[in-house]
Amino acid sequence: MTKPLLAVWKFASCDGCQLSLLDLEDELLAITENIHIANFLEASREVIAGPYDLSLVEGSVTTAHDAERIVEIREQSDFLVTIGACATSGGIQALRNWADVDEFTSLVYATPEYISTLDTSTGIAEHVTVDFELRGCPIDKGQLLELVAAFLHRRQPNIPTYSVCVECKRRGTPCVMVAHGTPCLGPVTQAGCGAICPAYNRGCYGCFGPMELPNTEALSAWWRTLGADDRALVDAYRGFNAWADEFRHAGNVAAERADGVNDE
Amino acid sequence: MEHVLSIAGLDRLLAHLAADGFRVVGPTMREGTIVYGDVSSAADLPGGWGDEHEPGHYRLRARDDDALFGFAVGPHSWKQYLHPPTLEVLTIASLSGEPVLIEPDPPAPMAFIGVRACDISAIAVQDNVFMGGAFVDRHYATRREPTFVVAANCTDPGGTCFCVSMSTGPGAAGGFDIALTEVLEPAHHFIAWSGTDRGAAVLEALDTTEATAAQVDAARRRVAMAAESMGRQLDTDGLPEVIARNREHPRWDAVAERCLACANCTMVCPTCFCSTFEETTDLADNSVRVRRWDSCFNDEFSYMHGGPVRESTAGRYRQWLTHKLSSWWDQFGQSGCVGCGRCITWCPVGIDITAEAAAVRAEEVAGV
Amino acid sequence: MSDDGNGTREIRVDYLARVEGEGRLYARVRDGELEDVEFGIFEPPRFFEAFLRGRPFTDAPDITARICGICPVAYQMSSVHAMERARRAVVDGELRTLRRLLYCGEWLESHGLHVYMLHAPDFLGYESAVHMAADHREVVEQGLRLKRAGNAIVTLLGGREVHPINVRVGGFYRAPTMHELQTLVPELEWARDAAAETARWTAQLPMPDIEIDYDFVSLRHPDEYPFNEGRIVSTSGLDIAAEEWPEHFVEEHKERSNALHAYFRSGGMFKVGPLARFALNADRLTPLAANVVAELGLSMPCRNPFQSIVVRSIEMVFAAEEALRIISEYKRPPESFVPIEPGPGVGSAATEAPRGLLWHRYELDEAGRIAEARIVPPTSQNQAVIESDVRRVLGEHLHLDDEALTWRLEQTIRNYDPCISCATHFLKVEIDRA
Amino acid sequence: MAIAADAGTVGAMVPTLVEVVDVRQDLPDTVSFDLQMPEPFEFEPGQFTMLYAPGIGEAPISISGDPANHDVITHTVRAVGKVSQALCRLRPGDRVGVRGPYGVPWPVRVAEGGDVVLMAGGIGLAPLRPVLYHLLHHRGRYESVVLLYGARSPIDLLYNQELRAWRSRYDCEVEVTVDHGGADWHGPVGVVTKLLGRAPFDGPATTAMVCGPEIMMRFSARDLIKQEVASDRVYMSMERNMQCGVGWCGHCQFGPKILCRDGPVLPYPAIEELLTVNEI
Ligand SMILES: Cc1cc2nc3c(=O)[nH]c(=O)nc-3n(C[C@H](O)[C@H](O)[C@H](O)COP(=O)(O)OP(=O)(O)OC[C@H]3O[C@@H](n4cnc5c(N)ncnc54)[C@H](O)[C@@H]3O)c2cc1C
Ligand code: SF4
Ligand code: SF4
Ligand code: SF4
């Protein structure tokens, strides 16, 4: 049997998600025995032409050229999986979606005329059909391994969509919101990371994006009782998954309230 | 016979159990909470610390005495040991060849130190689920059967406790090998008695003195006082029926506005037993079946092809409350709630099961 | 690649492999003379400095980490130090030491990745470490294990290997227990020895014999091989504090090169990274690392860019040794961070990312929100010198056929372990005017 | 670690691996397969097993074959998700894991001496087929035997050949309807309850067993009762997410019922009210 071909693609991103593949130190060689890394520039200068059986796409679409490139990649990919918050919801760079990009450009670049970029940073699914999403900023390498193993065995990967709290409790971490009064996004955020932040005494900051049924309104209300103001809520929701529907909405609601109250 | 056990005697008890081959676990302090962990002497226990419980709120509180069990309950429950949150239940080695099914060995026997009366009831509830029916869960049973239970009667209940309403506490009526009541005055000691022969044998070996009637009485009074200071109450009179006939109550939608569907209540609940099975193949030719705690608040919990049966938070909250207070009776002939108060304290937004049940009762839907 | 028959050769590598991020190389040679070289970066811009504005100062370590998934710790370190300076807070004792430990982890991980997975295949003629594993499985496994040893530190101390969550302005959210750190020891002891072996192994790899007269720039600390602290020094005699960086360096926008390049204000380019640190701080290496240097008879300073693979290996020895020392002396601090109130201020800091000096500067408003941010990563500082190396190597290897020459040029760039993702937030995007 | 093969020490969750001996593609998305049991396997009509597709997972599947056959057991699976799809890919010689049988069976004893009406929708015929086999094996114990079966369209008819064979028998009445007929469909078109009107049974003396989509079962029960079948003589087989089959996972709760233990077959009065509640 010929090995299936794997391609790893990069759009606007930090490379952290694709690095997770190389961070599978114990499994990397076993993976390459089961799947042929046909196109993965961060790891190999060998490039085998498509079509590919499995494409992992990292990064968000921020240029007109990338918007075209993703369509070509989709055409060459049998099964296309987005890896990470950038690819899934635009990533941290989606904060530009609220801003005047020309102003952003001039803030950062000496010669803004030479910068050609779209006004928005968007997830891959806004451009092409995506077969599966791995959440996280960065993705969890265990979930990545599960995805690859499931792909090879033709089964559905075990990727839960419930809240971070479930993993937090399985891990035995006392709730930081209840026990310390620390605001935590865990109850509205999808599990997958293993509930790391509460285990380190900090609130979850939402890098796996919204869970399946997030009640951001109720959580925001409770954060306020813990002393978080609307600005803090805006900052919290406008993080690494700022452009994901439910967080975007929650951030906008808080922003409107903040503007109303602060009257800047 | 009741014994007087000194603090040194407690140390001897723990050492004795360890020497008998038990892994000894009990309350310890971690990150501002009292949670279970391995203990080897009284010094590992949260001496001088109490706890403060309100809906969605928990804080440690320094006591003005040295009580070792001067708190109510923490976020952990004993189910984490008897029904572990994540457990590899089966390995299927070499899938494509001649598959071999391998079950894990049970862990070393455990001794639980400081089990509250409500938690003894909770353990009994789970015993019923996993061992009381036609099929016995061997993962549970091999943990549960050898477990040595040292109860500690409650003398300082928390603001979310309602064991009296559920008739499960604050004193343990049975289900223990040894029971302790902590007495702080005049000298710090425990009144101890056994509930099983092996408990009696251990106590005999500890070099204790026999308690006088007055000492026993003083200890009883402390537990009786605890019964007077419950943080909460639940009117259980006809409650299973009330809940069962109010499946269409507006309160379910009202609570769904506040509920995060985050599943914390079910995770901290000492009786919630639900789990999911995940089959994970590795890159070699093996498959591992993992059992993980699951919750009726999760979308996939009620999933059937096409979508979840319980799509809304209202439906999920109703399932939780109804199961705890009503349908558990139909299924297992007892209450699924023991009144420990954990779900109230550890709900990140402070939803209170006693308040929700009372609200449903107060405004029963007419004509159902 | 082409030869138009008129003696013009074009070397074009559209997607540079085994570098972090997306870059390209273009070179044109006419009549045996080098006409044009361009090391371009077409990674799209992500505007970090812009959207940092208005965020609370405490957000900087988490947000700037996302500039680079390969060296997030470096971003977290430079940002927390800059913020602490802005707020005039001092973080020392065990907290400072834990930061060094975290950096040890990142260096081990990043250098392990680069030496074995990205760079070594060039010397042995493999397309990738995976190809290399077919013939040298133990070598690749050793590399992966070294990398994992570094990741183990970052994961324990930081919570996960990429974008650790435990770093905060003022210290950590949670300090590890002594017992937890002890669990790292056996693997680190192995890693220290394996890194020494790695140095010996890399030293005998076939490599071009080239000496380039670089002006090296790195941090220098009175007692330590530098991670988080020290003055910025250079072979040409510079010796300044981090906040003086803008007075001595300038970033130029060179239109044809598609990027901002950093130069000395006085003119002239410089080089940051392992070779620079080694050149300026070899006397601060830990004992075993120093022994290995002596044993290998490495020239000091080392001016052969291809030998960076050896120097990275030596830095791995150092990182493992230093980590072991820190763990053996560790006492869990009573508080995991120094509380810092929000408020105004200006602060800059430079720390040593695996790839070289990483400089941050922030201005905070009255509410402690970021009013202005400036970030200069190592790869942008090395831009100019990378292009210059490419010219030089090209000039000396014109006899090679296109295939071999291309590979050699790629290798020249990979000598720098360039992290393009880092660089892009200020790099200009290519505009296709065709 | 214990090799989970020694009888007696095996946990209730450990499947027995058995060989697939025959596979029949019933419909484009539905497959029946026979499993060779290493030891005689007894089950009652309506019971199910947990079938394990190695490396993929388990699913509850009703036994669809003849309860008199203790050596080879049959299941019929519709491919809808990860496990069922894997089961539908099975080939003779492959192995699957089996646990069971589990669950409360159809009341074939209760029904003795009277008429029996079986009503099936779609794949719901699979759990009812063992009942029909049983009734036909013990034909003398029952009065009329009626099977009413509805499918989406003629090509969705399960066990089509067998249906024809049953129809040609004189000792049972088999009626089939489809939601959408076609040019060459000459039978009834419409919902299965429409068949009730002309089916030969005596309501008060009838036991009815219904299996199909929830909505179909509700309407069937309503119409059966209209035809004077006692409501406690109407039984239906319920379906919920089921992970363990032995009462420990909690998923298959249907209000006060734990379906793998108290069901899947339940008398209508026990669930009548629950069937009207959303999200139960
Ligand atoms: C008592 C009983 C008898 C059944 N008999 C048959 C039968 O004879 N033939 C047949 O084709 N189907 C039958 N089903 C339905 C069958 O079990 C589901 O179609 C199957 O579980 C879907 O699993 P999957 O992994 O293919 O689907 P996925 O959609 O991938 O489901 C994922 C998981 O959800 C659960 N799940 C999803 N749908 C159902 C469901 N309908 N019922 C129970 N759990 C579900 C399972 O745990 C499954 O593993 C029966 C169900 C029950 C409860
Ligand atoms: S999702 Fe986060 S970790 Fe992944 S590429 Fe984007 S910024 Fe990096
Ligand atoms: S700490 Fe956060 S993730 Fe954990 S239970 Fe509490 S709210 Fe949920
Ligand atoms: S309340 Fe929910 S999670 Fe708890 S036992 Fe009942 S169904 Fe399971």
Side-chain angles (χ1 to χ4, degrees):
Chain A
M1 219 174 78
T2 55
K3 289 194 262 182
L5 298 187
L6 168 74
V8 182
W9 307 99
K10 180 185 157 64
F11 288 78
S13 69
C14 80
D15 288 31
C17 288
Q18 36 175 331
L19 179 67
S20 300
L21 191 56
L22 301 178
D23 277 345
L24 285 166
E25 290 107 359
D26 293 331
E27 296 87 5
L28 185 64
L29 293 179
I31 290 176
T32 62
E33 279 156 19
N34 286 285
I35 198 163
H36 193 117
I37 298 186
N39 190 340
F40 181 13
L41 282 170
E42 186 169 307
S44 177
R45 60 194 298 276
E46 181 192 52
V47 175
I48 294 173
Y52 306 98
D53 298 286
L54 174 61
S55 274
L56 304 177
V57 180
E58 173 193 272
S60 65
V61 174
T62 58
T63 65
H65 172 241
D66 277 353
E68 287 163 22
R69 192 159 64 97
I70 188 60
V71 174
E72 290 160 22
I73 290 171
R74 174 70 264 190
E75 281 164 7
Q76 295 182 62
S77 309
D78 190 35
F79 196 73
L80 185 148
V81 179
T82 57
I83 54 170
C86 295
T88 303
S89 66
I92 185 76
Q93 58 272 19
L95 291 178
R96 75 164 71 172
N97 301 4
W98 280 272
D100 176 350
V101 169
D102 292 339
E103 192 191 316
F104 262 35
T105 313
S106 60
L107 275 175
V108 183
Y109 297 93
T111 326
E113 310 85 84
Y114 294 125
I115 301 302
S116 107
T117 176
L118 296 172
D119 287 345
T120 54
S121 165
T122 44
I124 300 300
E126 291 196 26
H127 302 266
V128 297
T129 311
V130 167
D131 298 308
F132 200 83
E133 287 179 350
L134 274 190
R135 302 279 198 88
C137 181
I139 53 169
D140 174 78
K141 66 177 187 175
Q143 286 204 335
L144 178 62
L145 180 64
E146 166 62 9
L147 177 104
V148 173
F151 176 80
L152 291 170
H153 282 91
R154 300 216 282 167
R155 63 177 171 84
Q156 190 81 7
N158 295 305
I159 305 289
T161 55
Y162 45 63
S163 71
V164 173
C165 301
V166 174
E167 287 187 326
C168 186
K169 297 304 94 184
R170 287 193 194 132
R171 190 173 174 149
T173 308
C175 178
V176 298
M177 204 141 62
V178 173
H180 309 155
T182 304
C184 179
L185 281 181
V188 296
T189 300
Q190 179 168 309
C193 65
I196 308 170
C197 287
Y200 282 75
N201 277 337
R202 75 179 286 193
C204 163
Y205 59 87
C207 56
F208 275 63
M211 57 146 355
E212 39 100 359
L213 198 63
N215 190 346
T216 50
E217 215 158 309
L219 185 68
S220 298
W222 193 264
W223 274 41
R224 288 188 197 104
T225 70
L226 297 177
D229 62 10
D230 288 305
R231 259 324 264 286
L233 282 164
V234 176
D235 291 335
Y237 290 116
R238 291 190 185 163
F240 305 102
N241 285 282
W243 201 243
D245 283 347
E246 294 89 345
F247 284 4
R248 181 189 348 170
H249 173 75
N252 288 346
V253 168
E256 273 164 35
R257 282 181 55 127
D259 290 347
V261 175
N262 296 354
D263 224 10
E264 282 176 333
Chain B
M1 163 187 128
E2 278 89 358
H3 301 246
V4 174
L5 192 70
S6 62
I7 304 303
L10 182 66
D11 280 338
R12 286 197 297 278
L13 172 62
L14 303 187
H16 185 101
L17 291 169
D20 276 354
F22 289 104
R23 174 184 170 201
V24 185
V25 285
T28 59
M29 304 252 290
R30 204 178 81 200
E31 317 293 2
T33 51
I34 293 170
V35 293
Y36 299 134
D38 292 272
V39 293
S40 54
S41 76
D44 294 332
L45 302 175
W49 287 94
D51 51 8
E52 199 181 286
H53 292 255
E54 289 306 326
H57 177 92
Y58 172 98
R59 289 293 181 280
L60 284 185
R61 162 175 62 84
R63 296 176 61 95
D64 45 22
D65 55 40
D66 296 331
L68 295 170
F69 297 100
F71 55 90
V73 288
H76 286 180
S77 77
W78 303 100
K79 80 172 175 184
Q80 72 192 48
Y81 297 107
L82 299 175
H83 174 43
T86 305
L87 182 68
E88 293 189 356
V89 289
L90 191 66
T91 303
I92 298 95
S94 72
L95 282 173
S96 56
E98 191 67 22
V100 185
L101 306 183
I102 302 165
E103 279 195 291
D105 288 336
M110 293 172 283
F112 294 168
I113 307 302
V115 185
R116 296 300 186 200
C118 55
D119 283 344
I120 288 180
S121 290
I123 292 171
V125 168
Q126 287 212 332
D127 287 353
N128 207 6
V129 172
F130 292 119
M131 310 197 299
F135 302 96
V136 171
D137 175 0
R138 102 194 268 246
H139 303 288
Y140 184 86
T142 52
R143 286 170 173 73
R144 171 66 179 107
E145 274 156 6
T147 297
F148 193 101
V149 175
V150 178
N153 286 329
C154 206
T155 51
D156 204 346
T160 57
C161 290
F162 56 106
C163 63
V164 168
S165 302
M166 306 314 289
S167 310
T168 58
F176 52 81
D177 293 286
I178 293 175
L180 307 173
T181 300
E182 185 168 29
V183 182
L184 301 167
E185 286 173 349
H188 192 178
H189 67 275
F190 296 92
I191 300 300
W193 65 102
S194 59
T196 59
D197 290 345
R198 68 170 177 171
V202 170
L203 273 183
E204 283 312 315
L206 288 182
D207 184 22
T208 58
T209 55
E210 187 173 343
T212 64
Q215 283 175 311
V216 173
D217 210 47
R220 287 208 183 115
R221 271 201 311 277
R222 284 177 59 78
V223 180
M225 265 165 60
E228 299 299 309
S229 49
M230 286 289 118
R232 281 186 152 56
Q233 285 184 2
L234 180 64
D235 176 2
T236 57
D237 184 32
L239 186 60
E241 295 75 25
V242 170
I243 302 294
R245 63 176 176 256
N246 283 286
R247 290 201 171 88
E248 309 283 9
H249 199 285
R251 188 72 183 186
W252 306 123
D253 288 323
V255 69
E257 292 194 358
R258 285 170 286 138
C259 173
L260 304 169
C262 68
N264 264 294
C265 47
T266 55
M267 297 279 125
V268 296
C269 174
T271 69
C272 272
F273 58 85
C274 290
S275 59
T276 189
F277 292 85
E278 279 175 15
E279 191 86 14
T280 310
T281 35
D282 61 13
L283 294 165
D285 205 18
N286 310 309
S287 187
V288 177
R289 188 180 296 171
V290 182
R291 169 159 105 179
R292 290 184 211 284
W293 287 355
D294 200 353
S295 164
C296 53
F297 280 98
N298 297 342
D299 162 277
E300 285 184 24
F301 184 83
S302 65
Y303 177 82
M304 297 210 290
H305 55 264
V309 173
R310 285 183 284 277
E311 267 177 306
S312 69
T313 300
R316 298 182 198 175
Y317 188 87
R318 181 183 65 192
Q319 164 64 22
W320 137 259
L321 186 140
T322 306
H323 195 207
K324 295 281 105 172
L325 300 177
S326 172
S327 52
W328 209 291
W329 285 96
D330 301 290
Q331 296 169 359
F332 300 103
Q334 62 194 141
S335 168
C337 171
V338 296
C340 72
R342 286 185 179 91
C343 60
I344 307 173
T345 303
W346 297 98
C347 171
V349 291
I351 294 173
D352 178 347
I353 190 172
T354 63
E356 298 309 319
V360 171
R361 185 198 287 278
E363 295 161 54
E364 275 216 56
V365 187
V368 187
Chain C
M1 273 158 282
S2 70
D3 191 332
D4 62 3
N6 302 330
T8 304
R9 279 170 89 187
E10 260 185 22
I11 307 269
R12 191 187 283 279
V13 181
D14 277 339
Y15 287 85
L16 273 168
R18 282 189 273 125
V19 298
E20 292 96 5
E22 309 220 304
R24 93 166 38 129
L25 176 69
Y26 173 75
R28 192 167 61 240
V29 182
R30 177 166 296 160
D31 300 326
E33 285 294 306
L34 188 55
E35 219 180 60
D36 193 14
V37 171
E38 195 180 301
F39 166 46
I41 284 171
F42 56 96
E43 178 96 16
R46 289 165 75 214
F47 301 111
F48 276 84
E49 285 97 331
F51 60 64
L52 277 166
R53 292 190 169 198
R55 303 289 297 205
F57 74 111
T58 45
D59 276 1
D62 290 326
I63 293 183
T64 58
R66 267 67 179 188
I67 293 174
C68 175
I70 322 289
C71 53
V73 169
Y75 282 85
Q76 297 190 328
M77 290 298 118
S78 287
S79 64
V80 294
H81 285 291
M83 290 305 177
E84 286 153 14
R85 283 187 199 144
R87 296 300 304 132
R88 307 194 177 289
V90 179
V91 176
D92 54 14
E94 292 291 342
L95 296 177
R96 171 181 186 277
T97 318
L98 281 175
R99 286 178 171 173
R100 278 183 74 77
L101 179 61
L102 186 61
Y103 238 141
C104 289
E106 180 158 288
W107 278 26
L108 254 183
E109 191 283 326
S110 177
H111 282 355
L113 172 73
H114 190 256
V115 167
Y116 281 93
M117 310 297 292
L118 310 181
H119 211 191
D122 280 337
F123 292 88
L124 297 172
Y126 293 97
E127 307 268 1
S128 76
V130 173
H131 294 85
M132 194 164 84
D135 300 330
H136 305 279
R137 196 178 171 103
E138 359 45 78
V139 173
V140 176
E141 278 173 350
Q142 165 144 324
L144 286 167
R145 190 169 161 193
L146 265 166
K147 181 169 143 24
R148 191 185 61 184
N151 266 339
I153 301 180
V154 180
T155 305
L156 188 123
L157 202 52
R160 61 180 168 202
E161 43 284 86
V162 179
H163 304 330
I165 53 86
N166 194 19
V167 173
R168 63 182 289 168
V169 178
F172 292 87
Y173 288 92
R174 178 183 180 277
T177 63
M178 236 184 320
H179 175 76
E180 287 166 340
L181 289 186
Q182 285 297 333
T183 60
L184 297 170
V185 168
E187 197 58 11
L188 283 173
E189 284 173 346
W190 173 86
R192 176 196 55 202
D193 300 341
E197 262 177 60
T198 305
R200 293 180 193 109
W201 176 71
T202 53
Q204 49 78 46
L205 289 171
M207 59 180 79
D209 194 12
I210 272 191
E211 289 268 308
I212 299 178
D213 195 19
Y214 295 113
D215 195 350
F216 291 119
V217 170
S218 88
L219 288 184
R220 179 158 171 90
H221 184 271
D223 317 302
E224 297 161 338
Y225 200 75
F227 276 132
N228 296 58
E229 290 164 22
R231 292 177 65 80
I232 300 172
V233 300
S234 80
T235 7
S236 56
L238 184 79
D239 184 354
I240 58 169
E243 53 272 25
E244 296 172 84
W245 195 93
E247 292 158 34
H248 296 269
F249 297 89
V250 60
E251 287 179 289
E252 268 180 26
H253 188 170
K254 292 180 89 191
E255 196 185 332
R256 285 189 60 254
S257 77
N258 253 352
L260 290 178
H261 294 46
Y263 291 94
F264 284 119
R265 273 199 191 277
S266 54
M269 58 198 168
F270 61 96
K271 172 166 173 137
V272 300
L275 285 187
R277 284 191 295 258
F278 180 64
L280 294 159
N281 297 280
D283 55 339
R284 301 271 188 272
L285 280 170
T286 42
L288 179 65
N291 282 349
V292 175
V293 172
E295 174 194 326
L296 298 177
L298 227 68
S299 63
M300 285 208 266
C302 171
R303 298 186 189 279
N304 180 346
F306 292 87
Q307 279 195 331
S308 62
I309 190 168
V310 186
V311 173
R312 272 190 199 92
S313 307
I314 287 166
E315 287 196 335
M316 282 199 279
V317 180
F318 155 75
E321 258 188 305
E322 177 72 354
L324 284 164
R325 183 193 66 78
I326 290 170
I327 293 171
S328 73
E329 293 169 9
Y330 179 68
K331 298 222 167 30
R332 194 185 197 199
E335 299 297 337
S336 65
F337 63 94
V338 176
I340 298 173
E341 290 300 314
V346 179
S348 347
T351 69
E352 284 288 349
R355 291 158 193 77
L357 198 79
L358 169 60
W359 185 78
H360 287 212
R361 179 180 180 280
Y362 299 96
E363 283 179 39
L364 306 181
D365 68 14
E366 291 301 318
R369 287 180 179 268
I370 298 169
E372 209 173 301
R374 199 165 157 213
I375 296 169
V376 182
T379 299
S380 77
Q381 300 177 72
N382 278 338
Q383 272 316 302
V385 85
I386 292 175
E387 266 190 32
S388 141
D389 278 14
V390 168
R391 271 176 206 281
R392 171 78 183 271
V393 170
L394 197 58
E396 292 186 16
H397 291 81
L398 282 172
H399 55 280
L400 294 176
D401 65 22
D402 280 2
E403 169 76 32
L405 186 56
T406 302
W407 198 323
R408 179 57 30 106
L409 292 180
E410 285 182 44
Q411 185 183 9
T412 306
I413 292 173
R414 281 195 286 268
N415 283 337
Y416 284 82
D417 187 6
C419 181
I420 293 165
S421 319
C422 299
T424 49
H425 63 282
F426 63 90
L427 288 174
K428 174 175 165 305
V429 186
E430 184 185 37
I431 307 161
D432 195 348
R433 294 206 172 83
Chain D
M1 297 289 236
I3 303 274
D6 354 334
T9 63
V10 178
M13 284 289 294
V14 179
T16 309
L17 291 174
V18 302
E19 195 180 317
V20 178
V21 286
D22 189 30
V23 179
R24 296 173 296 281
Q25 186 84 40
D26 293 320
L27 302 175
D29 64 351
T30 306
V31 166
S32 289
F33 46 84
D34 298 340
L35 305 176
Q36 179 70 50
M37 303 308 282
E39 281 164 32
F41 185 91
E42 308 250 348
F43 75 94
E44 294 185 59
Q47 288 196 298
F48 65 95
T49 66
M50 294 300 293
L51 282 190
Y52 171 54
I56 311 280
E58 291 190 314
I61 305 291
S62 305
I63 308 171
S64 64
D66 186 345
N69 188 342
H70 298 164
D71 303 317
V72 172
I73 62 169
T74 305
H75 292 83
T76 303
V77 181
R78 187 153 76 98
V80 297
K82 58 181 181 186
V83 177
S84 51
Q85 279 162 3
L87 292 173
C88 286
R89 290 197 294 261
L90 289 172
R91 294 284 159 267
D94 288 350
R95 283 158 181 281
V96 284
V98 183
R99 296 191 284 123
Y102 299 126
V104 175
W106 296 109
V108 288
R109 293 236 150 72
V110 174
E112 285 178 9
D115 294 347
V116 184
V117 174
L118 309 181
M119 293 181 77
I123 185 88
L125 183 55
L128 280 170
R129 188 168 66 164
V131 182
L132 193 58
Y133 288 137
H134 177 90
L135 300 178
L136 296 175
H137 287 319
H138 306 279
R139 190 62 190 84
R141 298 184 194 164
Y142 304 91
E143 300 293 325
S144 300
V145 170
V146 178
L147 168 65
L148 308 178
Y149 178 42
R152 260 173 304 172
S153 72
I155 55 156
D156 294 312
L157 290 172
L158 200 57
Y159 312 138
N160 211 346
Q161 281 187 347
E162 243 178 328
L163 279 173
R164 264 187 233 126
W166 290 326
R167 293 183 75 152
S168 63
R169 289 177 72 134
Y170 295 104
D171 57 354
C172 67
E173 178 72 23
V174 175
E175 287 293 338
V176 177
T177 178
V178 294
D179 296 343
H180 313 283
D184 30 349
W185 177 252
H186 305 296
V189 174
V191 291
V192 70
T193 43
K194 281 217 220 156
L195 300 174
L196 269 176
R198 54 181 189 213
F201 66 93
D202 172 21
T206 294
T207 303
M209 307 179 200
V210 189
C211 187
E214 237 169 88
I215 176 95
M216 167 263 175
M217 294 199 287
R218 272 174 60 196
F219 284 113
S220 301
R222 190 193 61 188
D223 291 2
L224 283 161
I225 291 164
K226 267 193 215 151
Q227 305 219 14
E228 293 180 41
V229 180
S231 74
D232 62 357
R233 284 299 187 97
V234 177
Y235 292 81
M236 43 186 65
S237 183
M238 293 300 302
E239 197 179 326
R240 280 293 177 273
N241 184 311
M242 213 175 258
Q243 310 234 328
C244 74
V246 288
W248 308 330
C249 78
H251 289 251
C252 68
Q253 288 176 70
F254 180 58
K257 304 293 177 197
I258 294 183
L259 283 182
C260 67
R261 183 192 75 179
D262 309 330
V265 174
L266 289 160
Y268 181 61
I271 52 174
E272 178 177 1
E273 187 242 315
L274 292 174
L275 284 170
T276 64
V277 182
N278 270 334
E279 302 199 5
I280 197 79

